[in-house]
Amino acid sequence: MQVQDVDLRLLRIFVAIVECGGLSAAESRLNIGRSTISSHLSDLEVRLGLKLCKRGRSGFELTEPGRITYQASLELMQQCEAFATTVASSKNELSGRATISVIDTMVSDPRCGVAHAIATLKRKSNSIQFDINVCEAREVETSVVNGRSIVGLGVSRHHLRGLDYVPLYNENNYLYCGVGHPLFDCDTSQVDALLQQAEVVTSNYMRDRETRNDGLNYQNSAAAYHDEGIAHLILSGQFIGYLPDHYASYWVDKGMFKAILPEQYSYQIPVVLITAKNITPSPLASALIEQVKLCHQK
């Protein structure tokens, strides 16, 4: 088939569906309704003459042609991006898309230098399009692996092959309870007993109980995949959970959150810069990576 503009658009939608794990999950990323996404997917299948996926009550699943098409789509998009960047670099100016993936709530951390890096690059060139994706920790790595993002900023417990990880700073996490929870206004003598009864939110960043070895109750009905979700559960007054201190400080200052025995219940997790290995970066990619490193060194 001859690849046209409409095909590129449909392929980008298909990639988003695959990376989100289904049509419904892709709605927020694509900012279009499920029925429209389904129509676009059907159009792509007709144009390719292939059945790309199975979708229905049993869930979303790629067919073998769909898997091959997904991989080929990633390669095609990387080649299109490389072409645009190469042509732009011939003008001896920074130009193209500066794609960044970050975990949620980093904007509330004063040590995060993303905004400063963007400002520096913007002053150097008005021909840069900034594209920031806020996502779950593992998706940050996936985004860099598949070439959708030049850099990622997040946390990682198990490094993926093919990626470089540069430590930027350590994020402090403490155990919090909210107004209405028995631990919020209890006497010091009651803390240990109430902690054994309290239900702790299972979080995405430090999922394994052994990593903290804090002896708390993780056999419960509360789980969250982003800090904002953990905050909602703590605000209910029914659960306790770990949050970064810079994010929780908003509610702490309002008297709605309280850290529980911070000397005992806390941990640090490295925030890292994630980039692809063994890939010659474009001038824009090199400039973006350099600026992110410089801003965090300061």
Side-chain angles (χ1 to χ4, degrees):
M1 61 176 289
Q2 295 294 320
V3 179
Q4 303 175 13
D5 287 346
V6 64
D7 299 309
L8 289 173
R9 180 169 182 268
L10 293 176
L11 288 170
R12 290 185 188 279
I13 291 172
F14 174 60
V15 167
I17 294 170
V18 175
E19 291 182 348
C20 292
L23 279 67
S24 296
E27 286 182 285
S28 58
R29 179 188 290 186
L30 295 170
N31 198 29
I32 53 179
R34 176 172 176 169
S35 60
T36 304
I37 295 173
S38 179
S39 176
H40 288 324
L41 181 57
S42 297
D43 290 345
L44 180 61
E45 289 180 324
V46 170
R47 291 183 68 83
L48 295 176
L50 297 170
K51 184 68 174 177
L52 298 175
C53 61
K54 301 174 184 177
R55 52 193 192 276
R57 292 183 179 179
S58 59
F60 176 85
E61 182 183 356
L62 281 178
T63 62
E64 182 60 17
R67 185 190 64 79
I68 294 171
T69 301
Y70 170 66
Q71 293 297 330
S73 299
L74 292 178
E75 294 172 8
L76 177 60
M77 291 174 192
Q78 290 172 12
Q79 290 167 1
C80 289
E81 192 68 34
F83 171 81
T85 302
T86 300
V87 172
S89 64
S90 68
K91 303 176 184 177
N92 294 319
E93 65 177 24
L94 294 176
S95 180
R97 283 202 312 153
T99 50
I100 307 168
S101 285
V102 298
I103 53 173
D104 68 325
T105 74
M106 288 190 70
V107 70
S108 64
D109 194 331
R111 296 172 299 177
C112 179
V114 171
H116 187 67
I118 291 172
T120 302
L121 290 175
K122 181 66 174 174
R123 285 192 292 267
K124 290 183 177 181
S125 173
N126 282 321
S127 299
I128 302 173
Q129 176 187 340
F130 293 95
D131 186 352
I132 297 184
N133 181 36
V134 179
C135 49
E136 180 263 324
R138 180 58 70 178
E139 190 182 347
V140 171
E141 294 172 295
T142 302
S143 181
V144 177
V145 165
N146 65 28
R148 190 159 56 87
S149 296
I150 296 173
V151 301
L153 281 86
V155 296
S156 174
R157 294 187 57 246
H158 304 291
H159 292 182
L160 301 181
R161 286 193 296 178
L163 294 178
D164 275 325
Y165 297 81
V166 178
L168 300 177
Y169 57 88
N170 287 332
E171 183 182 75
N172 298 311
N173 288 255
Y174 295 97
L175 183 64
Y176 292 95
C177 62
V179 172
H181 194 279
L183 279 160
F184 195 83
D185 290 317
C186 71
D187 293 332
T188 305
S189 60
Q190 299 176 295
V191 172
D192 289 337
L194 289 174
L195 270 173
Q196 295 308 310
Q197 301 172 19
E199 293 186 75
V200 188
V201 179
T202 301
S203 68
N204 182 52
Y205 297 156
M206 300 293 278
R207 185 181 300 275
D208 300 332
R209 185 176 178 181
E210 295 78 12
T211 58
R212 282 192 296 264
N213 195 28
D214 52 18
L216 299 177
N217 175 25
Y218 289 88
Q219 304 300 317
N220 58 49
S221 57
Y225 297 91
H226 298 85
D227 287 338
E228 187 171 340
I230 298 172
H232 279 298
L233 290 163
I234 297 174
L235 283 167
S236 74
Q238 302 300 308
F239 303 94
I240 62 177
Y242 286 91
L243 281 174
D245 57 353
H246 60 84
Y247 182 60
S249 64
Y250 172 83
W251 291 281
V252 172
D253 293 342
K254 288 181 175 292
M256 299 172 67
F257 276 10
K258 178 180 178 181
I260 306 167
L261 301 180
E263 300 82 5
Q264 181 176 350
Y265 295 101
S266 64
Y267 67 87
Q268 288 189 332
I269 187 167
V271 174
V272 293
L273 169 66
I274 305 169
T275 57
K277 279 183 179 178
N278 304 322
I279 294 179
T280 303
S282 67
L284 177 58
S286 296
L288 176 59
I289 294 168
E290 180 184 4
Q291 280 303 321
V292 171
K293 290 179 178 178
L294 286 174
C295 290
H296 287 89
Q297 287 173 1
K298 293 178 181 179

